């Protein structure tokens, strides 16, 4: 699909999300909070349905998986042991001209020989940046409208200033291999490591007070020594919002295994909020600072991890496809050795073809015995498993104690919601009530994911029809089916509204209902309507939902 068509699909989905109540910008009336989103009346239902389906298939339907719901704030030693305190960071760089801050590993990377135009938002900005570059670097770039020209990559380590018509540079500067994403500027600060965890303090501590008196008492220290002292004060009461749900499953491995008498192989699953102070937030809810994950740690015998990695990769891929209109838009990608996380020996990404191209939806990683061993080492508690049936491969004696290896399918629930919104969005030309061509937007959400399963619509707001409709809605609720009574606007408008909400079935109550006890049921995707007995409608909807 053409790029502008793709970006317009993203814009349409974002706009529909707001209009119909799927996703809102957080704190919108105050100008919005970057990278934070609120799930509206339909979005909260869709998110819960995705997560409930995941829980059903990963926990309820499996004898070998149990669930937990751990606290978001854990002991800070957890993050020390897992490596998140020292290693969970992104390389951060500032543009020296625009002050734009960005991730080095995600920045555009022009190659030797490429020109480096600096693209400003307008002429005024171009003049300001031209003057700033002249002042800081003593070169005068040529301005053409809102673009500054004259820079070119010389080799992997240098770029140069080439005045007009010159093929030799008059000035050479160190090149980092990338430029700033918004303006294309190669004038950059050094890279700094930026930890992605949100930090807070726990307990009745007055950190600011402690820091103030520490600084007052230590005015003789240099900056680095002061920083270290302040860091120690902050760290003594620091807690972190979890950046992944996974660690609780390692920390609670023994409690879970023993309380439920689990035998290896078995898994512990959890879903819920995670938090990352992402530098680059992008593509609507794709990458945000607060998001929801659905993760499972599957503990296996050492040596069997390859088989289980492939098993979970396939199970998870089938699960995503089973709710999609376009299963061909999912694929998996094997991680290269140099992109593996520090704990992983192998990993597959399950990817989806978003409007900007294939990108990650879920990672299925072979985490080795890294986490259990690290937590055992830091806590002093033995996190191992004893298999009475097996012989120890080292001694040959009966009974084998080992640290299990772990396979981890780690999915994003909010990212999954974006995938299913994109997958569901359809624009169609259909005949209207008079047989003329009209267009409709329909969200073809899988019926089990759809926020509202059935809308019950009285044709008119009188003659006892609302009462019949309300009675039907309450019978759906009693059966655990989310239904909605809707009497606003013409029947045609109501159908269109529920098409956009993704409601798979609409039941209309009309005059004939009172005469012969029948109603019409309309299918969202085919728009076909059939007349059925009112007292059979619950059973029919139940059956259709079960069959999908
Ligand atoms: N426990 C392993 C782990 O957390 P990850 O690849 O960092 O692995 C797993 O995260 C999934 O969580 C990703 O595939 C993605 O779907 C989702 N995810 C990660 N960071 C996210 C963010 N900032 N916003 C939304 N979803 C995110």
């Amino acid at each position: 699909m053409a790029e502008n068509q793709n970006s317009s699909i993203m814009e349409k989905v974002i706009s529909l999300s707001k209009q119909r109540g799927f996703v809102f910008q957080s704190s919108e009336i105050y100008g919005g909070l970057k990278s934070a989103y609120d799930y509206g009346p339909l979005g909260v239902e869709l998110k819960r349905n995705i997560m409930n389906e995941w829980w059903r298939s990963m926990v309820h339907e499996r004898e070998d998986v149990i669930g937990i719901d751990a606290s978001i704030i854990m002991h800070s030693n957890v993050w020390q042991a897992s490596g998140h305190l020292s290693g969970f960071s992104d390389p951060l760089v500032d543009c020296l001209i625009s002050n734009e801050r960005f991730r080095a590993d995600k920045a555009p990377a022009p190659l030797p020989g490429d020109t480096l135009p600096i693209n400003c938002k307008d002429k005024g900005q171009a003049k300001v940046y031209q003057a700033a570059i002249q002042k800081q670097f003593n070169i005068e770039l040529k301005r053409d409208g809102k673009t500054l020209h004259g820079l070119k990559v010389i080799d992997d380590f240098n770029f140069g200033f080439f005045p007009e018509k010159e093929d030799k540079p008059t000035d050479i500067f160190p090149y980092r291999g990338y430029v700033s994403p918004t303006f294309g500027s190669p004038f950059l600060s050094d890279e700094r490591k930026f930890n992605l965890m949100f930090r807070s303090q726990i307990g009745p501590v007055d950190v600011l007070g402690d820091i103030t008196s520490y600084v007052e008492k230590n005015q003789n220290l240099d900056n680095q020594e002061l920083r270290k002292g302040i860091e120690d004060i902050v760290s003594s009461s620091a807690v972190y919002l979890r950046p992944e749900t996974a660690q609780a499953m390692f920390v609670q491995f023994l409690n879970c295994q023993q309380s439920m008498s689990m035998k290896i192989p078995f898994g512990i699953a959890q879903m819920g909020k995670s938090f990352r102070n992402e530098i680059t937030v992008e593509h609507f809810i794709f990458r945000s600072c607060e998001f929801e994950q659905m993760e499972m740690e599957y503990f296996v015998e050492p040596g069997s991890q390859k088989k289980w990695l492939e098993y979970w990769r396939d199970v998870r891929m089938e699960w995503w496809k089973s709710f999609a209109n376009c299963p061909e838009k999912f694929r998996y990608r094997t991680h290269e050795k140099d992109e593996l996380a520090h704990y992983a020996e192998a990993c597959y990404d399950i990817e989806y073809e978003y409007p900007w191209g294939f990108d990650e939806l879920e990672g299925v990683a072979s985490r080795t015995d890294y986490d259990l061993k690290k937590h055992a080492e830091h806590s002093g508690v033995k996190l191992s498993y004893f298999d009475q049936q097996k012989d120890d491969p080292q001694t040959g004696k009966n009974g084998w104690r080992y640290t299990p290896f772990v396979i981890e399918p780690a999915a994003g629930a909010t990212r999954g919601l974006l995938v299913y919104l994109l997958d569901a969005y359809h624009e169609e030309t259909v005949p209207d009530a008079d047989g003329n061509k009209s267009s409709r937007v329909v969200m073809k959400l899988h019926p089990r994911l759809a926020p509202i399963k059935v809308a019950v619509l009285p044709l008119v707001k009188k003659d006892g029809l609302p009462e019949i409709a309300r009675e039907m809605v309450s019978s759906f609720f009693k059966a655990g089916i989310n239904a909605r009574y809707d009497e606003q606007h013409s029947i045609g408008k109501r159908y269109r509204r529920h098409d956009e909400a993704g409601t798979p079935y609409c039941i209309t109550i009309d005059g004939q209902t009172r005469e012969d006890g029948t109603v019409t049921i309309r299918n969202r995707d085919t728009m076909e309507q059939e007349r059925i007995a009112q007292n059979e409608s619950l059973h029919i909807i139940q059956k259709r939902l079960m069959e999908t």
Side-chain angles (χ1 to χ4, degrees):
M1 204 179 284
E3 199 179 302
N4 55 356
Q5 215 174 334
N6 273 329
S7 59
S8 80
I9 283 174
M10 193 69 184
E11 280 154 24
K12 285 174 183 172
V13 165
I14 294 172
S15 156
L16 180 126
S17 291
K18 178 177 171 173
Q19 232 177 323
R20 281 283 153 251
F22 283 102
V23 185
F24 305 130
Q25 175 72 62
S26 162
S27 319
E28 192 186 286
I29 60 167
Y30 289 103
L33 180 64
K34 195 170 154 234
S35 113
Y37 293 92
D38 295 344
Y39 292 83
L42 296 187
V44 61
E45 300 290 340
L46 175 58
K47 180 150 68 76
R48 281 188 186 170
N49 290 343
I50 294 170
M51 295 174 84
N52 287 343
E53 285 295 335
W54 183 86
W55 193 259
R56 188 154 75 108
S57 81
M58 295 295 276
V59 182
H60 288 172
E61 289 180 359
R62 298 193 65 109
E63 285 180 21
D64 57 348
V65 181
I66 47 180
I68 57 165
D69 183 10
S71 56
I72 284 171
I73 297 174
M74 301 171 78
H75 198 294
S76 56
N77 286 359
V78 169
W79 309 114
Q80 192 78 53
S82 68
H84 283 85
L85 266 176
S86 55
F88 192 58
S89 52
D90 283 340
L92 194 66
V93 181
D94 290 326
C95 167
L96 299 175
I97 308 304
S98 66
N99 294 326
E100 178 187 9
R101 183 164 285 179
F102 62 93
R103 267 177 73 169
D105 57 334
K106 297 266 175 192
L111 297 171
D114 288 352
T115 54
L116 299 173
I118 297 191
N119 303 303
C120 307
K121 75 172 187 297
D122 52 37
K123 271 192 213 166
Q125 190 178 55
K127 283 182 187 165
V128 172
Y129 288 176
Q130 188 185 34
I133 291 169
Q134 182 162 29
K135 190 163 170 217
Q136 286 190 55
F137 300 100
N138 207 19
I139 53 174
E140 188 172 357
L141 297 187
K142 183 172 181 300
R143 189 177 64 77
D144 180 8
K146 54 184 185 174
T147 309
L148 302 177
H149 298 282
L151 302 176
K152 193 157 129 185
V153 184
I154 298 171
D155 56 32
D156 288 345
F157 306 103
N158 299 290
F159 70 94
F161 171 52
F162 295 74
E164 214 177 353
K165 298 197 183 116
E166 296 283 338
D167 55 4
K168 287 215 163 61
T170 54
D171 297 77
I172 295 179
F173 304 92
Y175 180 51
R176 294 198 175 288
Y178 50 83
V179 294
S180 70
T182 310
F183 303 105
S185 158
F187 297 109
L188 306 171
S189 72
D190 288 342
E191 284 181 19
R192 280 169 299 131
K193 287 285 181 192
F194 174 81
N195 195 292
L196 297 185
M197 284 197 292
F198 282 100
R199 181 163 63 185
S200 189
Q201 310 300 133
I202 199 164
V205 284
D206 173 17
V207 179
L208 287 184
D210 293 347
I211 293 173
T212 310
S213 37
Y214 171 78
V215 173
E216 267 170 14
K217 281 185 207 146
N218 293 284
Q219 290 186 0
N220 56 327
L221 297 182
D222 68 23
N223 269 358
Q224 231 174 343
E225 289 166 325
L226 268 183
R227 196 186 159 93
K228 165 85 180 59
I230 294 171
E231 191 67 45
D232 289 345
I233 294 171
V234 174
S235 303
S236 62
S237 59
V239 284
Y240 301 87
L241 300 188
R242 68 181 179 203
E244 60 171 17
T245 59
Q247 291 303 319
M249 279 82 100
F250 300 121
V251 173
Q252 295 293 4
F253 167 75
L254 276 189
N255 280 335
C256 289
Q257 189 262 321
Q258 288 169 358
S259 61
M260 298 298 281
S261 309
M262 299 305 285
K263 294 211 171 350
I264 278 191
F266 77 93
I268 309 176
Q270 172 166 225
M271 51 188 195
K273 297 250 180 185
S274 290
F275 303 83
R276 295 181 192 177
N277 197 0
E278 298 278 7
I279 300 158
T280 310
V281 285
E282 54 187 352
H283 306 311
F284 191 36
I285 55 174
F286 175 80
R287 193 183 310 283
S288 48
C289 288
E290 177 176 343
F291 55 100
E292 300 224 31
Q293 289 187 305
M294 310 182 291
E295 298 195 287
M296 197 265 289
E297 308 305 319
Y298 198 70
F299 300 94
V300 304
E301 204 178 282
S304 67
Q305 63 269 28
K306 186 171 181 297
K307 172 183 87 180
W308 286 113
L309 178 66
E310 283 164 16
Y311 168 84
W312 280 110
R313 174 198 68 192
D314 296 345
V315 167
R316 294 300 308 139
M317 176 64 103
E318 282 317 302
W319 186 84
W320 285 111
K321 285 183 177 178
S322 69
F323 297 102
N325 294 291
C326 302
E328 68 281 4
K329 286 197 162 199
F330 295 78
R331 71 172 190 196
Y332 66 72
R333 186 179 68 80
T334 313
H335 272 216
E336 299 294 336
K337 283 270 172 275
D338 62 357
E339 61 175 322
L340 288 173
H342 61 279
Y343 49 72
E345 63 175 1
C347 184
Y348 294 101
D349 273 355
I350 295 177
E351 296 189 329
Y352 177 73
E353 192 176 10
Y354 299 89
W356 60 92
F358 276 101
D359 212 333
E360 183 183 344
L361 169 61
E362 171 163 356
V364 186
S366 182
R367 280 186 88 127
T368 67
D369 53 2
Y370 176 88
D371 300 88
L372 286 178
K373 281 203 164 143
K374 281 283 171 201
H375 286 301
E377 193 184 307
H378 280 73
S379 65
V381 176
K382 217 183 226 175
L383 298 175
S384 59
Y385 177 81
F386 185 66
D387 191 333
Q388 290 172 334
Q389 318 296 328
K390 292 257 164 80
D391 294 343
D392 186 325
Q394 303 256 295
T395 63
K397 288 192 185 144
N398 186 242
W400 182 18
R401 179 169 291 285
Y402 59 84
T403 304
F405 273 50
V406 172
I407 305 302
E408 176 195 66
T414 41
R415 199 172 283 186
L417 186 144
L418 173 62
V419 163
Y420 285 133
L421 285 179
L422 289 165
D423 175 77
Y425 187 90
H426 285 75
E427 286 173 10
E428 293 178 349
T429 305
V430 292
D432 64 14
D434 304 320
N436 298 321
K437 278 186 181 173
S438 71
S439 63
R440 73 162 182 162
V441 169
V442 53
M443 293 298 282
K444 294 191 177 176
L445 288 166
H446 190 284
R448 288 217 307 275
L449 301 186
I452 301 166
K453 310 295 182 212
V454 54
V456 187
L457 321 172
L459 191 63
V460 289
K461 293 185 215 172
K462 57 183 185 181
D463 303 335
L465 303 191
E467 288 77 6
I468 298 174
R470 287 204 161 94
E471 208 177 295
M472 284 187 78
V473 168
S474 84
S475 72
F476 282 116
F477 280 142
K478 279 192 194 124
I481 293 172
N482 192 20
R484 184 148 186 96
Y485 174 83
D486 190 350
E487 61 174 26
Q488 295 297 328
H489 302 117
S490 71
I491 195 74
K493 277 196 178 157
R494 279 181 270 172
Y495 284 154
R496 289 288 187 272
R497 189 160 60 231
H498 282 284
D499 285 346
E500 291 185 7
T503 308
Y505 306 106
C506 285
I507 288 180
T508 305
I509 316 296
D510 55 18
Q512 199 180 327
T513 309
R514 292 186 55 197
E515 287 164 23
D516 63 6
T518 61
V519 295
T520 57
I521 178 167
R522 174 186 181 268
N523 180 302
R524 174 197 69 196
D525 298 344
T526 61
M527 298 196 304
E528 274 167 12
Q529 300 190 22
E530 35 176 331
R531 210 131 193 126
I532 57 168
Q534 182 195 339
N535 60 10
E536 279 180 20
S537 48
L538 173 61
H539 176 68
I540 289 171
I541 296 276
Q542 267 172 331
K543 194 159 168 285
R544 288 187 187 175
L545 288 174
M546 294 275 285
E547 280 166 0
T548 54

